[in-house]
Coordinates of all heavy atoms in Angstrom, one line a residue:
M1 N 85.8 127.4 108.9 CA 85.4 126.0 108.9 C 86.7 125.1 109.1 O 87.7 125.3 108.4 CB 84.7 125.6 107.6 CG 83.4 126.3 107.4 SD 82.0 125.3 108.0 CE 81.8 124.2 106.6
E2 N 86.5 124.1 110.0 CA 87.7 123.3 110.2 C 87.1 121.8 110.2 O 86.1 121.6 110.7 CB 88.3 123.6 111.6 CG 89.7 123.1 111.7 CD 90.2 123.5 113.1 OE1 89.7 124.4 113.8 OE2 91.2 122.9 113.5
Q3 N 87.9 121.0 109.6 CA 87.5 119.6 109.6 C 88.1 118.8 110.8 O 89.3 118.7 110.9 CB 88.0 118.9 108.3 CG 87.3 117.6 108.0 CD 87.7 117.1 106.6 OE1 88.7 117.5 106.1 NE2 86.8 116.4 106.0
V4 N 87.3 118.3 111.7 CA 87.7 117.7 112.9 C 87.0 116.4 113.0 O 85.9 116.2 112.6 CB 87.5 118.5 114.1 CG1 88.3 119.8 114.0 CG2 86.1 118.8 114.4
C5 N 87.6 115.5 113.8 CA 87.0 114.2 114.1 C 86.1 114.4 115.3 O 86.5 114.9 116.3 CB 88.1 113.2 114.4 SG 87.4 111.7 115.2
P6 N 84.8 114.1 115.2 CA 83.9 114.3 116.3 C 84.2 113.5 117.6 O 83.9 113.9 118.7 CB 82.5 113.9 115.8 CG 82.8 113.1 114.6 CD 84.1 113.5 114.0
L7 N 84.9 112.4 117.4 CA 85.2 111.5 118.5 C 86.4 112.1 119.3 O 86.5 112.2 120.5 CB 85.6 110.1 118.1 CG 84.6 109.0 118.5 CD1 83.2 109.3 117.9 CD2 85.1 107.7 118.3
C8 N 87.4 112.6 118.5 CA 88.6 113.2 119.1 C 88.2 114.4 120.0 O 88.9 114.7 120.9 CB 89.6 113.6 118.1 SG 90.5 112.2 117.4
N9 N 87.2 115.1 119.5 CA 86.8 116.3 120.2 C 85.7 116.2 121.1 O 85.1 117.1 121.6 CB 86.5 117.4 119.1 CG 87.7 117.8 118.3 OD1 88.4 118.7 118.8 ND2 88.0 117.1 117.3
G10 N 85.3 114.9 121.4 CA 84.2 114.7 122.4 C 82.8 115.2 121.9 O 82.0 115.4 122.7
L11 N 82.7 115.3 120.6 CA 81.4 115.9 120.1 C 80.3 114.8 119.9 O 79.2 115.0 119.8 CB 81.6 116.6 118.8 CG 82.6 117.8 118.8 CD1 82.9 118.3 117.4 CD2 82.1 118.9 119.7
A12 N 80.8 113.6 119.8 CA 79.9 112.5 119.5 C 80.4 111.1 119.9 O 81.6 111.0 120.2 CB 79.6 112.4 118.0
D13 N 79.6 110.2 120.1 CA 80.0 108.8 120.4 C 80.1 108.1 119.1 O 79.6 108.4 118.1 CB 78.9 108.1 121.3 CG 78.8 108.7 122.6 OD1 79.8 109.2 123.2 OD2 77.6 108.8 123.2
A14 N 80.9 107.0 119.2 CA 81.1 106.2 118.0 C 79.7 105.5 117.6 O 79.5 105.3 116.4 CB 82.1 105.1 118.2
G15 N 78.9 105.2 118.6 CA 77.6 104.6 118.3 C 77.7 103.2 117.7 O 76.9 102.8 117.0
V16 N 78.8 102.5 118.1 CA 79.0 101.2 117.6 C 78.7 100.2 118.7 O 79.1 100.3 119.9 CB 80.5 101.0 117.2 CG1 80.8 99.6 116.7 CG2 80.8 102.0 116.0
K17 N 78.0 99.1 118.4 CA 77.6 98.1 119.3 C 78.6 96.9 119.2 O 79.0 96.6 118.1 CB 76.2 97.6 119.1 CG 75.2 98.7 119.4 CD 74.1 98.2 120.3 CE 72.9 99.2 120.4 NZ 73.3 100.6 120.6
C18 N 78.9 96.3 120.3 CA 79.8 95.2 120.3 C 79.2 94.0 119.6 O 78.0 93.7 119.8 CB 80.1 94.7 121.8 SG 81.0 93.2 121.9
R19 N 79.9 93.4 118.7 CA 79.4 92.3 117.9 C 79.2 91.0 118.7 O 78.5 90.2 118.4 CB 80.4 92.0 116.7 CG 80.1 92.8 115.5 CD 81.0 92.3 114.4 NE 81.7 93.4 113.8 CZ 82.8 93.3 113.0 NH1 83.2 92.1 112.7 NH2 83.4 94.3 112.5
A20 N 80.0 91.0 119.8 CA 79.9 89.8 120.7 C 78.7 89.8 121.6 O 78.0 88.8 121.8 CB 81.2 89.6 121.4
C21 N 78.5 91.0 122.3 CA 77.5 91.0 123.3 C 76.4 92.1 123.1 O 75.5 92.2 123.9 CB 78.1 91.1 124.7 SG 78.9 92.7 125.0
G22 N 76.6 93.0 122.2 CA 75.6 94.0 121.9 C 75.7 95.3 122.7 O 75.0 96.2 122.6
M23 N 76.7 95.3 123.7 CA 76.9 96.5 124.5 C 77.5 97.6 123.7 O 78.2 97.4 122.7 CB 77.9 96.1 125.6 CG 78.1 97.1 126.6 SD 77.0 96.9 128.0 CE 77.6 98.1 129.1
T24 N 77.1 98.9 124.0 CA 77.7 100.0 123.3 C 79.2 100.1 123.6 O 79.6 100.1 124.8 CB 77.0 101.3 123.7 OG1 75.6 101.2 123.4 CG2 77.5 102.5 123.0
M25 N 79.9 100.2 122.5 CA 81.4 100.2 122.7 C 81.9 101.6 123.1 O 81.3 102.6 122.6 CB 82.1 99.6 121.5 CG 81.7 98.2 121.2 SD 82.6 97.5 119.8 CE 84.1 97.0 120.7
E26 N 82.9 101.6 123.9 CA 83.5 102.9 124.3 C 84.7 103.2 123.4 O 85.5 102.3 123.1 CB 83.9 102.8 125.8 CG 82.7 102.7 126.7 CD 83.1 102.6 128.1 OE1 84.3 102.5 128.4 OE2 82.2 102.7 129.0
D27 N 84.9 104.5 123.2 CA 86.1 105.0 122.5 C 87.3 104.8 123.3 O 87.4 105.3 124.4 CB 85.9 106.5 122.1 CG 87.1 107.0 121.4 OD1 87.8 106.2 120.8 OD2 87.3 108.2 121.4
G28 N 88.2 104.0 122.8 CA 89.5 103.8 123.5 C 90.5 104.8 123.1 O 91.7 104.8 123.5
G29 N 90.2 105.8 122.2 CA 91.1 106.8 121.8 C 91.6 106.5 120.4 O 91.3 105.4 119.8
M30 N 92.4 107.4 119.9 CA 93.1 107.1 118.6 C 93.9 105.9 118.7 O 94.6 105.6 119.8 CB 94.0 108.3 118.2 CG 93.3 109.6 118.0 SD 94.6 110.7 117.5 CE 94.9 111.6 119.1
W31 N 94.0 105.1 117.7 CA 94.8 103.9 117.7 C 96.3 104.2 118.0 O 97.0 103.5 118.6 CB 94.7 103.1 116.4 CG 95.3 103.9 115.2 CD1 94.6 104.7 114.4 CD2 96.6 103.9 114.8 NE1 95.4 105.2 113.4 CE2 96.7 104.7 113.6 CE3 97.8 103.2 115.2 CZ2 97.8 104.9 112.9 CZ3 99.0 103.4 114.5 CH2 99.0 104.3 113.4
S32 N 96.7 105.4 117.6 CA 98.1 105.8 117.8 C 98.4 106.0 119.3 O 99.6 106.0 119.7 CB 98.4 107.1 117.0 OG 97.5 108.1 117.4
D33 N 97.4 106.2 120.1 CA 97.6 106.4 121.6 C 98.3 105.1 122.1 O 99.0 105.2 123.1 CB 96.3 106.6 122.3 CG 95.8 108.1 122.1 OD1 96.6 108.9 121.5 OD2 94.6 108.3 122.4
Y34 N 98.0 104.0 121.5 CA 98.5 102.7 122.1 C 99.9 102.5 121.8 O 100.6 101.6 122.3 CB 97.6 101.6 121.5 CG 96.2 101.6 122.1 CD1 95.3 102.4 121.5 CD2 95.9 100.9 123.2 CE1 94.0 102.5 122.1 CE2 94.7 101.0 123.8 CZ 93.7 101.8 123.2 OH 92.4 101.8 123.7
A35 N 100.5 103.4 121.0 CA 101.9 103.3 120.7 C 102.7 103.9 121.9 O 103.9 103.8 121.9 CB 102.3 103.9 119.4
G36 N 102.0 104.5 122.8 CA 102.7 105.2 123.9 C 102.5 106.7 123.9 O 102.1 107.2 122.8
P37 N 102.7 107.3 125.0 CA 102.4 108.8 125.1 C 103.4 109.6 124.3 O 103.1 110.7 123.9 CB 102.5 109.1 126.6 CG 103.4 107.9 127.1 CD 103.1 106.7 126.3
Y38 N 104.6 109.1 124.0 CA 105.5 109.9 123.3 C 105.8 109.2 121.9 O 106.9 108.5 121.8 CB 106.8 110.1 124.1 CG 106.5 110.7 125.4 CD1 106.6 109.9 126.6 CD2 106.2 112.0 125.5 CE1 106.3 110.5 127.8 CE2 105.9 112.6 126.7 CZ 105.9 111.8 127.9 OH 105.7 112.4 129.1
A39 N 104.9 109.3 121.0 CA 105.1 108.6 119.7 C 104.8 109.6 118.6 O 103.8 109.6 118.0 CB 104.1 107.5 119.6
P40 N 105.7 110.6 118.4 CA 105.5 111.7 117.4 C 105.2 111.2 116.0 O 104.4 111.7 115.3 CB 106.8 112.5 117.5 CG 107.8 111.6 118.1 CD 107.1 110.7 119.0
Y41 N 105.9 110.0 115.7 CA 105.7 109.5 114.3 C 104.3 109.0 114.1 O 103.6 109.3 113.1 CB 106.7 108.5 114.0 CG 108.1 109.0 114.0 CD1 109.0 108.7 115.0 CD2 108.6 109.9 113.0 CE1 110.3 109.2 115.1 CE2 109.8 110.4 113.1 CZ 110.7 110.1 114.1 OH 112.0 110.6 114.2
E42 N 103.8 108.3 115.1 CA 102.4 107.8 115.0 C 101.4 108.9 115.0 O 100.4 108.9 114.4 CB 102.2 106.8 116.2 CG 103.1 105.6 116.2 CD 102.8 104.7 115.1 OE1 101.7 104.8 114.5 OE2 103.7 103.9 114.8
L43 N 101.7 109.9 115.8 CA 100.8 111.0 115.9 C 100.7 111.8 114.6 O 99.7 112.2 114.2 CB 101.3 112.0 117.0 CG 100.2 112.6 117.9 CD1 99.5 111.5 118.7 CD2 100.8 113.5 118.9
T44 N 101.9 111.9 114.0 CA 101.9 112.5 112.7 C 101.1 111.8 111.7 O 100.3 112.3 110.9 CB 103.4 112.6 112.1 OG1 104.1 113.4 113.1 CG2 103.4 113.4 110.8
A45 N 101.2 110.4 111.8 CA 100.4 109.6 110.9 C 98.9 109.9 111.1 O 98.1 109.9 110.2 CB 100.7 108.1 111.1
H46 N 98.5 110.0 112.4 CA 97.1 110.3 112.7 C 96.7 111.6 112.1 O 95.6 111.7 111.5 CB 96.9 110.3 114.2 CG 95.6 110.8 114.6 ND1 94.4 110.1 114.4 CD2 95.2 112.0 115.0 CE1 93.4 110.8 114.8 NE2 93.8 112.0 115.2
V47 N 97.5 112.6 112.2 CA 97.1 113.9 111.7 C 96.9 113.9 110.2 O 96.0 114.4 109.7 CB 98.2 115.0 112.1 CG1 97.9 116.3 111.3 CG2 98.2 115.2 113.6
K48 N 97.8 113.1 109.5 CA 97.6 113.0 108.1 C 96.3 112.3 107.8 O 95.6 112.7 106.9 CB 98.8 112.1 107.6 CG 100.0 113.0 107.3 CD 101.1 112.1 106.8 CE 102.4 112.9 106.7 NZ 103.6 112.0 106.6
Q49 N 95.9 111.3 108.5 CA 94.7 110.6 108.3 C 93.5 111.6 108.5 O 92.6 111.6 107.8 CB 94.5 109.5 109.4 CG 95.2 108.2 109.0 CD 94.8 107.1 109.9 OE1 94.8 107.2 111.1 NE2 94.6 105.9 109.3
E50 N 93.6 112.4 109.6 CA 92.5 113.2 109.9 C 92.4 114.3 108.8 O 91.3 114.7 108.4 CB 92.7 113.9 111.2 CG 91.4 114.5 111.7 CD 91.5 114.8 113.2 OE1 92.5 114.6 113.8 OE2 90.5 115.2 113.8
N51 N 93.5 114.7 108.2 CA 93.5 115.7 107.1 C 92.8 115.1 105.9 O 92.2 115.8 105.1 CB 94.9 116.2 106.8 CG 95.4 117.1 107.8 OD1 94.7 117.7 108.6 ND2 96.7 117.3 107.8
G52 N 92.8 113.8 105.8 CA 92.2 113.1 104.7 C 90.7 113.0 105.0 O 90.0 112.5 104.1
G53 N 90.2 113.4 106.1 CA 88.8 113.4 106.4 C 88.4 112.2 107.2 O 87.2 112.0 107.5
Q54 N 89.4 111.3 107.6 CA 89.0 110.2 108.3 C 90.0 110.0 109.5 O 91.1 110.3 109.4 CB 89.0 108.9 107.5 CG 87.9 108.9 106.5 CD 87.9 107.6 105.6 OE1 88.9 107.1 105.4 NE2 86.7 107.2 105.2
C55 N 89.5 109.4 110.6 CA 90.2 109.2 111.8 C 90.0 107.8 112.3 O 88.8 107.3 112.3 CB 89.8 110.2 112.8 SG 90.8 110.3 114.3
T56 N 91.0 107.0 112.6 CA 90.8 105.7 113.0 C 90.8 105.6 114.5 O 91.8 106.0 115.2 CB 92.0 104.8 112.5 OG1 92.0 104.9 111.1 CG2 91.7 103.3 112.8
H57 N 89.8 105.0 115.1 CA 89.7 104.9 116.5 C 89.6 103.4 116.9 O 89.0 102.6 116.2 CB 88.4 105.6 117.1 CG 88.6 107.0 117.2 ND1 88.8 107.7 118.4 CD2 88.6 108.0 116.3 CE1 88.9 109.0 118.2 NE2 88.8 109.2 116.9
L58 N 90.2 103.1 118.0 CA 90.1 101.7 118.6 C 89.0 101.8 119.7 O 89.1 102.5 120.6 CB 91.4 101.3 119.2 CG 91.4 99.9 119.8 CD1 91.0 98.8 118.8 CD2 92.7 99.5 120.5
L59 N 87.9 101.0 119.5 CA 86.8 100.9 120.4 C 87.0 99.7 121.3 O 87.5 98.7 120.8 CB 85.5 100.9 119.7 CG 85.3 102.0 118.7 CD1 83.9 101.8 118.0 CD2 85.3 103.4 119.3
H60 N 86.6 99.7 122.5 CA 86.6 98.5 123.3 C 85.2 98.4 124.0 O 84.5 99.3 124.3 CB 87.7 98.5 124.3 CG 87.5 99.5 125.4 ND1 88.0 100.8 125.4 CD2 87.0 99.3 126.7 CE1 87.7 101.4 126.5 NE2 87.1 100.5 127.3
C61 N 84.9 97.1 124.3 CA 83.6 96.8 124.9 C 83.8 96.8 126.4 O 84.7 96.0 126.9 CB 83.1 95.5 124.4 SG 81.6 95.0 125.3
P62 N 83.1 97.6 127.2 CA 83.3 97.5 128.7 C 82.8 96.3 129.3 O 83.2 96.0 130.5 CB 82.5 98.8 129.2 CG 81.5 99.0 128.1 CD 82.1 98.5 126.8
Q63 N 82.0 95.5 128.6 CA 81.4 94.3 129.2 C 82.3 93.1 129.0 O 82.5 92.3 129.9 CB 80.0 94.1 128.6 CG 79.3 92.9 129.3 CD 77.8 93.1 129.1 OE1 77.1 93.7 129.9 NE2 77.2 92.5 128.1
C64 N 82.7 92.8 127.7 CA 83.4 91.6 127.4 C 84.8 91.8 126.9 O 85.5 90.9 126.7 CB 82.6 90.8 126.4 SG 82.7 91.4 124.7
G65 N 85.2 93.1 126.8 CA 86.6 93.4 126.4 C 86.9 93.2 124.9 O 88.0 93.3 124.5
N66 N 85.9 93.0 124.1 CA 86.1 92.9 122.7 C 86.6 94.3 122.2 O 86.2 95.3 122.7 CB 84.7 92.6 122.0 CG 84.9 92.2 120.6 OD1 85.9 91.7 120.1 ND2 83.8 92.5 119.8
E67 N 87.4 94.2 121.1 CA 87.9 95.5 120.5 C 87.6 95.5 119.1 O 87.5 94.5 118.4 CB 89.4 95.6 120.7 CG 89.8 95.8 122.2 CD 91.3 96.0 122.4 OE1 92.0 95.5 121.6 OE2 91.6 96.7 123.4
A68 N 87.4 96.7 118.5 CA 87.1 96.9 117.1 C 87.6 98.2 116.7 O 87.6 99.2 117.5 CB 85.6 96.8 116.9
Y69 N 88.0 98.3 115.4 CA 88.4 99.6 114.9 C 87.2 100.2 114.2 O 86.4 99.6 113.6 CB 89.6 99.4 113.9 CG 90.9 99.1 114.5 CD1 91.3 97.7 114.6 CD2 91.7 100.1 115.0 CE1 92.5 97.4 115.2 CE2 92.9 99.8 115.6 CZ 93.3 98.4 115.7 OH 94.5 98.1 116.3
A70 N 87.2 101.5 114.3 CA 86.1 102.3 113.6 C 86.8 103.4 112.9 O 87.6 104.2 113.4 CB 85.1 102.8 114.6
I71 N 86.4 103.6 111.6 CA 86.9 104.7 110.8 C 85.8 105.8 111.0 O 84.7 105.7 110.6 CB 87.0 104.3 109.3 CG1 87.8 103.0 109.2 CG2 87.6 105.5 108.5 CD1 89.2 103.1 109.6
I72 N 86.3 106.9 111.5 CA 85.3 108.0 111.8 C 85.5 109.1 110.7 O 86.6 109.6 110.5 CB 85.6 108.6 113.2 CG1 85.6 107.5 114.3 CG2 84.6 109.7 113.5 CD1 84.3 106.8 114.4
Q73 N 84.4 109.5 110.1 CA 84.5 110.5 109.1 C 84.5 111.9 109.9 O 83.6 112.1 110.7 CB 83.3 110.4 108.2 CG 83.3 111.4 107.1 CD 84.4 111.2 106.1 OE1 84.6 110.0 105.7 NE2 85.1 112.2 105.7
S74 N 85.4 112.7 109.5 CA 85.4 114.1 110.1 C 84.3 115.0 109.7 O 83.8 114.8 108.6 CB 86.8 114.7 109.8 OG 87.8 114.0 110.3
D75 N 83.9 115.9 110.6 CA 82.9 116.8 110.3 C 83.5 118.2 110.1 O 84.5 118.5 110.7 CB 81.9 116.9 111.4 CG 81.0 115.6 111.4 OD1 80.8 115.0 110.4 OD2 80.5 115.3 112.5
F76 N 82.8 119.1 109.5 CA 83.2 120.5 109.4 C 82.5 121.2 110.5 O 81.3 121.1 110.7 CB 82.8 121.1 108.0 CG 83.7 120.6 106.9 CD1 83.3 119.7 106.0 CD2 85.0 121.2 106.8 CE1 84.1 119.2 105.0 CE2 85.8 120.7 105.7 CZ 85.4 119.8 104.9
I77 N 83.3 122.0 111.3 CA 82.7 122.8 112.3 C 83.1 124.3 112.1 O 84.1 124.5 111.4 CB 83.0 122.4 113.7 CG1 84.6 122.4 113.9 CG2 82.5 121.0 114.0 CD1 85.0 122.3 115.4
Ligands
LIG1 ZN1 89.4 110.9 116.0
LIG2 ZN1 81.0 92.9 124.3

């Protein structure tokens, strides 16, 4: 058994609707991705978060561009 974030692994959608327009928001990836492709410190922070059973994702709305953070609870697979 391994504890993984379902969003990081493409197992599930966030299922969050945009507060502004109601459109289903898309996963923009881990928030740490926005620090740049080579950000080992941020990546380490993410791994620590995931080990704690939670993973922070930045979602964006494809319709109006609204952004929101979602705390994703990891599942055991
Ligand atoms: Zn994740
Ligand atoms: Zn929207």
